Amino acid sequence: MSTDTILSFEEAMEKYDPVLGFEVHVELNTKTKMFSSAPNVFGDEPNTNVNEVDLGMPGVLPVVNKTAIESSIKIGLALNCKIAEYCRFSRKQYFYPDTPKNFQTSQYDEPIAYDGYLDVELEDGTVFRVEIERAHMEEDAGKLTHMGGATGRIQGADFSLVDYNRAGVPLVEIVTKPIEGAGSRAPELAKAYVAAVREIVKNLGVSDAKMERGNVRCDANVSLRPHGRERFGIRSETKNVNSLRAVEHAVRYEIQRHAAVLDSGEPVIQETRHWHEDTRTTTSGRAKSDADDYRYFPEPDLVPVVASREWVEELRATLPEPPAERRKRLKADWGYSDLEFRDVVNAGVLDEIEETIAAGATASVARKWWMGEIVGRAKAADVDPGQLGVQPATIVELSKMVEAGKINNKMASQVLDGVLAGEGTPEEIVEKRGLAVVSDDGALLEAIDAALAAQPDVAEKIRGGKVQAIGAIVGGVMKATRGQADAGRVRELILEKLGVTA
Amino acid sequence: MSEQNTTAEGLIRLSAADLAEKLRAGEVTAVEVTQAHLDRIAAVDGGERGVNAYLHVNAEEALAVAAEVDAIRAAGGAEAEALHYLAGVPIAVKDLIVTVGQPTTAGSKILEGWHSPYDATVVERLRAARMPILGKTNLDEFAMGSSTEHSAYGPTRNPWDLDRIPGGSGGGSAAAVAAFEAPLALGTDTGGSIRQPGAVTGTVGVKPTYGSVSRYGAIAMASSLDQIGPVTRTVLDSALLHQVIGGHDPRDSTSLPEPLADLVAAAKTGNVEGLRIGIIKELHGEGYQAGVENRFNESLQLLKEAGAEIVEVSCPNFQYALGAYYLIMPSEASSNLAKFDGVRYGLRVLPEEGPMTIERVMGATRAAGFGDEVKRRIILGTYALSAGYYDAYYGSAQKVRTLVQRDFEAAFAKADVLISPTAPTTAFRLGEKLDDPLAMYLNDVATIPANLAGVPGLSLPGGLADEDGLPVGIQLLAPAREDARLYRVGAVLESLLEAKWGGPLLAQAPDLAAAQALEAQEAK
């Protein structure tokens, strides 16, 4: 897809210093839209969650969603921002069919939150401070689906369909200041920053924060400059990089691409880039200059948003525990070692483990499943662990089956494969695949008799008190039952049979 | 008198308040009243020399609503008791205001045949009051104009002289009321579109305080200036209608939160004794027709005799108001009209040749769907908002707006109510200013400051100009949220003038049906 030449990352880092910048769009999970009373719901039939306001019918007027303002203030506070006492919305004007009014109502020069920072923890525990320029409110656009082309992009399409369900969904756009000094850790920082933002909005409860649904979307700006130079290079903006891994890869790729362009003596073109998950490359989007004229002017249909200091303090008082403190607490609660906990954090399954524990699993069981089973599968599938779609309840059910001796660990792993393959509930899969542990004592006793008969010398040793020799007999039984016996029960029955107490 | 007033010819000449009383007294039915107006529309509105006040007549629904009112009244009991005072009194609605069940065109080809899926808030309130809606009235396309000649559906004629303009943009509503085709109408006023047509047709028009009446469902021209208001033949009728449509609406963020004052009581208890009435130095004299000045001075004299104190105030920044208005209004309009692109509703025109891209379809639709005046203002506004020009144009205009507001504050420190002629001239001839936009824009020189400042204004008939025998409008202005003052003073001036004339000014208007019949005869 991409024909760009790239430099190796190492060589790029030798020659150049990367500067990053992020615009993260967070969809708020308010009941209704930013400016209309239509429901803010994902995944419904196209053009069902719309009313005359969302469709930009003649005569309609917007009304600001107060909950959206509260959520925006909360985000601003969590990002250590100042909250504007008075701010307005503006109209950003451009003709495009996903924008029903042909302007987007957005904050322009008066963001609700500004001048903040976020301390981002890298994998090895290093803390990197990212300065926040602003967090402002705006409305989402509708969704275009380009039909008839090979690529799903507008080029070559015969026509486009538009779904306005998303039009008017409240967004908060979080813009960083230029991030300098990350060096070769830039891709890692990119991922960690977006993960931290996602974690914050999720923790605040203001967004569903599902990247795979576009609740959190990242535009990544990358530029390079030779080491030692202060002036920034020309940047590219890779749009809609919508998973944590993709953010890391996209930044890494753009660094490598920019380095190759600069090495060739050509200037980097200021443009938007499209991210392609399949090839892990970007391609040129549209040329973007700072002179794009959106003819912003203050939205005359809305009154200014006035955030009294009392209100801001009330909201501050409702803020949940910040994620960093939460991590400290969870580590203590769960009793994980430093290493175990860092692995959990780095694997990005903190929330999942918390949910699994909340669903009824013990801390060690939850960790065992996520770290031992699911993270590996996610790596193999090249997705984030949360994207595999494993439900906490499934893990609890599987671990209960193991505890009850209904299946063993090996089988449980197979059942999980079945669940992921969509074969049904764990119960159904155990049934279908015939995985139940053989616990019929009659069947087991037969196998035990056979195993004892096959190894009479071992049986004699056990009778003589050398109970540790029992493994050979148990092994024989397990082999005979093709692993479907409950090893614990087998052991009990053997001892009973031989009249030995353990 | 009563006998005569219940004939169809008598009914259409009654005020809304008188109709309401007769309906309550059972002297006449709502169906009779509605039918009388529909008959009048049929008689004078159509044809080559028709008034052309209506773009759409809503006979069936209007009669059905009227019949409901009659049935409720006949049944008596609590429901009859609960009927609104104006229940059964029909009304016309400017075709800029959306209505379910009737087309809404905004006077533009781009919305030809479009039916709104929702009612404007003011329309909901008319329905709640069970007022039959007679139809939708003509206007300059998207309310852009001062003569109704910019309607895509032909101009409206002034009932006083069919060769003259009825004012604009709400010429249809004013002419309908002046021609007895409706006792009441709704208008919208962005720079004078209610008051200036009122002035040149001898009717009453009110632009309420910005935020007094919900704009939800009024197709926006300039959001920060637009306001819906009453168009009637008497001051009391305007107060009655304002009371129906006004008050807070959660769907309009700019709607005022507080409840409306009792405007009807204000109109009924008019009194000017000891009231300070300020003449705005900059809004009369040079540039104003002699006959307009004479009638204006006559009104001042009457108010003085009734006990008002006449003072002179100066609003020096009003001289910049027209210039600021013609930057702010087109800027907002260029943005508000962006939604008319052929994608979701209304006209869609495909380019005759070349690739069928969305940009080209939008372009072809807007090129074919908008008239010249609309295009002129979109271009002007787009330019004024462009990067590099914003501060010089839109930004400066906003500063002027602040200065105009300060002028008003200073003036209202010296006077309780301000007064001026509503328009510099009486109705001009159709076509006279069509090719001279600047001359057309000057019609609104006296009405625009109120829109820039958000203050309420009322225009009422001040008599006929000596030189042409055409109506002259007197404008009253009050501080924001003090709409009641307009009705209090307006009612007094109206009664003083009517006493002088020996009846309503419109009684002096030519017999329209007879004039049309005569013209038809002559044409043969």
Side-chain angles (χ1 to χ4, degrees):
Chain A
M1 183 133 201
S2 169
T3 55
D4 292 307
T5 50
I6 61 170
L7 239 54
S8 79
F9 186 73
E10 292 68 27
E11 197 180 343
M13 283 298 110
E14 259 168 48
K15 294 179 173 169
Y16 302 103
D17 173 26
V19 177
L20 307 180
F22 299 98
E23 287 148 37
V24 174
H25 287 86
V26 177
E27 273 187 354
L28 302 179
N29 57 2
T30 49
K31 285 198 188 74
T32 57
K33 293 190 180 178
M34 187 75 218
F35 302 114
S36 93
S37 58
N40 171 20
V41 180
F42 177 86
D44 285 356
E45 282 293 300
N47 297 310
T48 52
N49 295 328
V50 291
N51 65 21
E52 66 261 22
V53 176
D54 308 298
L55 294 177
M57 287 283 174
V60 299
L61 296 172
V63 176
V64 171
N65 182 332
K66 194 182 172 195
T67 308
I69 304 232
E70 283 186 354
S71 300
S72 307
I73 293 175
K74 286 180 185 171
I75 290 174
L77 291 173
L79 294 173
N80 305 293
C81 287
K82 295 174 183 149
I83 306 300
E85 287 192 48
Y86 169 102
C87 61
R88 290 183 294 182
F89 284 93
S90 286
R91 294 184 180 179
K92 179 182 183 178
Q93 312 198 65
Y94 58 97
F95 281 83
Y96 207 62
D98 64 359
T99 307
K101 298 167 290 184
N102 285 321
F103 60 79
Q104 181 194 30
T105 307
S106 168
Q107 292 197 299
Y108 173 48
D109 48 359
E110 302 178 20
I112 185 135
Y114 58 97
D115 280 354
Y117 63 86
L118 180 59
D119 286 331
V120 177
E121 202 177 319
L122 300 182
E123 290 201 4
D124 65 355
T126 311
V127 173
F128 196 102
R129 177 161 291 191
V130 174
E131 305 279 346
I132 306 292
E133 168 99 26
R134 56 190 279 160
H136 70 253
M137 300 179 278
E138 59 185 33
E139 57 179 336
D140 212 340
K143 193 170 163 41
L144 288 174
T145 308
H146 304 296
M147 308 295 286
T151 59
R153 292 195 178 274
I154 193 164
Q155 290 81 9
D158 295 328
F159 60 94
S160 305
L161 299 174
V162 58
D163 174 9
Y164 290 113
N165 281 354
R166 200 179 65 184
V169 166
L171 287 181
V172 172
E173 180 176 341
I174 301 163
V175 183
T176 66
K177 289 181 181 163
I179 302 167
E180 303 175 63
S184 62
R185 306 196 70 172
E188 185 193 346
L189 174 63
K191 178 185 173 188
Y193 168 72
V194 177
V197 169
R198 180 174 160 266
E199 186 178 45
I200 281 178
V201 297
K202 191 172 182 202
N203 187 45
L204 289 171
V206 298
S207 172
D208 293 345
K210 293 188 171 128
M211 292 190 79
E212 66 275 18
R213 286 189 177 183
N215 297 145
V216 176
R217 311 197 284 268
C218 176
D219 300 341
N221 290 270
V222 172
S223 70
L224 297 186
R225 58 186 174 187
H227 288 292
R229 184 187 288 179
E230 204 166 315
R231 187 163 50 82
F232 296 158
I234 295 167
R235 71 193 158 88
S236 64
E237 180 181 357
T238 306
K239 306 288 279 183
N240 291 323
V241 196
N242 291 341
S243 78
L244 295 177
R245 293 161 62 83
V247 172
E248 182 172 11
H249 292 138
V251 166
R252 190 183 176 90
Y253 178 82
E254 279 298 287
I255 287 173
Q256 292 176 265
R257 187 182 67 82
H258 280 226
V261 173
L262 292 171
D263 258 18
S264 72
E266 296 288 317
V268 172
I269 300 165
Q270 184 170 338
E271 61 182 353
T272 61
R273 306 281 300 180
H274 296 300
W275 172 247
H276 303 283
E277 189 61 51
D278 47 355
T279 55
R280 288 208 174 140
T281 58
T282 65
T283 53
S284 178
R286 95 194 140 83
K288 190 177 183 176
S289 77
D290 290 329
D292 277 346
D293 189 355
Y294 291 115
R295 301 191 312 284
Y296 282 102
F297 77 107
E299 167 59 91
D301 284 326
L302 291 171
V303 291
V305 174
V306 178
S308 75
R309 299 301 90 179
E310 295 75 32
W311 188 31
V312 171
E313 289 315 307
E314 270 171 40
L315 291 173
R316 194 194 299 278
T318 67
L319 292 187
E321 182 185 27
E325 283 173 38
R326 170 173 163 249
R327 277 196 293 273
K328 224 176 279 174
R329 176 177 56 82
L330 292 180
K331 180 168 174 292
D333 285 357
W334 296 346
Y336 294 175
S337 72
D338 285 354
L339 189 64
E340 283 171 347
F341 195 76
R342 188 180 299 164
D343 284 347
V344 164
V345 171
N346 290 341
V349 292
L350 196 68
D351 293 342
E352 286 75 9
I353 289 182
E354 191 183 26
E355 283 164 20
T356 306
I357 293 170
T362 64
S364 67
V365 163
R367 193 180 70 80
K368 193 186 83 189
W369 275 94
W370 281 98
M371 298 305 292
E373 295 287 340
I374 300 163
V375 166
R377 284 176 171 80
K379 269 203 188 115
D382 213 4
V383 295
D384 292 331
Q387 288 176 299
L388 279 179
V390 179
Q391 299 300 313
T394 303
I395 294 172
V396 173
E397 194 179 342
L398 286 172
S399 68
K400 277 193 179 144
M401 284 179 171
V402 172
E403 268 169 48
K406 204 168 168 198
I407 53 176
N408 57 29
N409 284 325
K410 199 174 142 208
M411 290 175 192
S413 178
Q414 291 171 34
V415 174
L416 180 63
D417 286 334
V419 171
L420 291 176
E423 290 172 22
T425 65
E427 193 93 38
E428 287 164 1
I429 293 161
V430 165
E431 184 79 15
K432 258 190 255 172
R433 291 195 174 188
L435 288 174
V437 167
V438 177
S439 59
D440 174 349
D441 288 356
L444 285 182
L445 285 171
E446 247 174 61
I448 288 167
D449 285 343
L452 289 173
Q455 303 179 76
D457 48 332
V458 180
E460 208 45 52
K461 275 184 193 166
I462 299 169
R463 272 199 197 93
K466 287 194 171 172
V467 178
Q468 62 268 37
I470 199 169
I473 305 295
V474 172
V477 174
M478 295 308 282
K479 198 175 170 190
T481 57
R482 292 192 307 281
Q484 284 183 277
D486 176 349
R489 182 67 187 148
V490 170
R491 195 169 184 278
E492 277 172 21
L493 289 173
I494 294 169
L495 293 174
E496 210 173 284
K497 180 115 191 156
L498 298 178
V500 180
T501 46
Chain B
M1 189 77 187
S2 159
E3 176 94 349
Q4 185 204 331
N5 282 348
T6 50
T7 64
E9 186 57 26
L11 282 178
I12 59 170
R13 288 172 193 275
L14 291 177
S15 70
D18 288 344
L19 285 172
E21 292 297 342
K22 287 199 178 299
L23 286 165
R24 284 154 71 89
E27 289 174 36
V28 65
T29 65
V31 168
E32 285 166 349
V33 171
T34 302
Q35 190 60 55
H37 286 96
L38 291 170
D39 290 347
R40 175 70 172 179
I41 294 167
V44 303
D45 206 61
E48 205 180 315
R49 300 289 287 174
V51 178
N52 196 28
Y54 284 88
L55 293 179
H56 176 81
V57 179
N58 187 37
E60 203 175 314
E61 186 198 278
L63 287 169
V65 171
E68 269 171 36
V69 172
D70 290 339
I72 292 168
R73 202 159 256 144
E79 209 183 342
E81 283 294 309
L83 275 176
H84 190 276
Y85 181 73
L86 290 179
V89 177
I91 185 166
V93 174
K94 188 181 186 181
D95 204 22
L96 195 66
I97 299 171
V98 305
T99 44
V100 172
Q102 299 184 64
T104 301
T105 67
S108 180
K109 288 285 175 204
I110 212 160
L111 277 180
E112 193 164 17
W114 179 70
H115 280 67
S116 173
Y118 75 102
D119 273 330
T121 296
V122 290
V123 171
E124 280 184 356
R125 291 180 182 184
L126 297 181
R127 294 196 201 280
R130 296 187 188 273
M131 295 171 69
I133 297 172
L134 292 166
K136 307 293 290 286
T137 58
N138 201 4
L139 68 157
D140 287 296
E141 184 178 3
F142 286 103
M144 296 182 185
S146 307
S147 68
T148 317
E149 291 168 291
H150 295 302
S151 168
Y153 304 97
T156 296
R157 296 173 183 279
N158 190 324
W160 288 80
D161 177 345
L162 294 171
D163 289 318
R164 292 184 187 260
I165 59 101
S169 67
S173 283
V177 169
F180 306 103
E181 298 176 66
L184 302 167
L186 289 182
T188 67
D189 190 313
T190 306
S193 288
I194 289 175
R195 290 162 289 160
Q196 181 259 5
V200 300
T201 58
T203 55
V204 178
V206 179
K207 182 205 94 71
T209 297
Y210 184 78
S212 173
V213 179
S214 168
R215 293 183 292 116
Y216 195 77
I219 299 177
M221 166 160 65
S223 308
S224 72
L225 303 163
D226 297 344
Q227 188 62 190
I228 295 175
V231 175
T232 66
R233 289 191 294 266
T234 73
V235 172
L236 175 60
D237 282 0
S238 274
L240 285 164
L241 182 51
H242 191 165
Q243 206 89 52
V244 174
I245 60 174
H248 182 66
D249 176 14
R251 285 175 294 188
D252 176 357
S253 310
T254 62
S255 146
L256 295 170
E258 68 259 21
L260 275 185
D262 192 340
L263 306 171
V264 176
K268 284 179 173 167
T269 58
N271 184 7
V272 295
E273 230 177 286
L275 202 79
R276 297 169 304 163
I277 297 179
I279 307 170
I280 305 166
K281 206 172 86 182
E282 289 79 7
L283 292 188
H284 72 105
E286 200 191 332
Y288 287 74
Q289 192 178 317
V292 170
E293 281 286 303
N294 291 343
R295 294 290 81 78
F296 176 58
N297 289 326
E298 195 172 270
S299 283
L300 292 177
Q301 191 57 37
L302 289 173
L303 287 166
K304 202 169 169 181
E305 284 165 16
E309 183 193 341
I310 306 295
V311 298
E312 188 173 78
V313 298
S314 176
C315 296
N317 292 298
F318 281 18
Q319 62 179 310
Y320 309 117
L322 190 73
Y325 175 81
Y326 273 96
L327 287 169
I328 294 169
M329 174 273 294
S331 294
E332 294 185 11
S334 71
S335 175
N336 284 329
L337 269 60
K339 61 172 64 164
F340 301 101
D341 60 6
V343 172
R344 290 164 305 280
Y345 47 76
L347 183 72
R348 177 181 292 170
V349 177
L350 304 178
E352 281 176 16
E353 49 189 345
M356 203 65 70
T357 63
I358 193 78
E359 290 85 1
R360 300 185 77 248
V361 174
M362 286 177 176
T365 300
R366 290 165 68 84
F370 288 142
D372 287 347
E373 182 61 23
V374 172
K375 287 176 185 163
R376 182 152 42 230
R377 296 192 193 191
I378 290 174
I379 291 167
L380 206 60
T382 304
Y383 188 81
L385 289 176
S386 296
Y389 297 98
Y390 180 91
D391 291 340
Y393 294 127
Y394 188 79
S396 303
Q398 289 293 5
K399 286 177 190 153
V400 169
R401 190 169 189 173
T402 304
L403 295 175
V404 167
Q405 284 163 352
R406 286 189 195 151
D407 277 359
F408 268 117
E409 279 167 32
F412 284 125
K414 291 182 187 160
D416 302 301
V417 167
L418 303 177
I419 191 164
S420 78
T422 310
T425 68
T426 54
F428 48 89
R429 289 181 187 284
L430 286 164
E432 195 179 321
K433 299 187 180 177
L434 203 49
D435 297 326
D436 187 351
L438 288 180
M440 189 76 92
Y441 296 169
L442 276 171
N443 276 289
D444 298 329
V445 71
T447 46
I448 279 170
N451 299 85
L452 288 176
V455 305
L458 176 152
S459 177
L460 77 164
L464 303 178
D466 316 295
E467 57 271 33
D468 53 21
L470 290 168
V472 169
I474 305 294
Q475 174 177 240
L476 299 170
L477 300 166
R481 297 176 158 92
E482 296 292 346
D483 306 55
R485 271 188 217 173
L486 299 179
Y487 293 111
R488 201 168 284 131
V489 179
V492 171
L493 182 54
E494 178 184 60
S495 70
L496 294 170
L497 286 164
E498 289 192 356
K500 186 175 145 66
W501 303 327
L505 188 67
L506 274 165
Q508 298 177 44
D511 183 335
L512 193 54
Q516 286 172 335
L518 189 66
E519 280 186 17
Q521 198 99 45
E522 281 170 0
K524 276 180 192 169

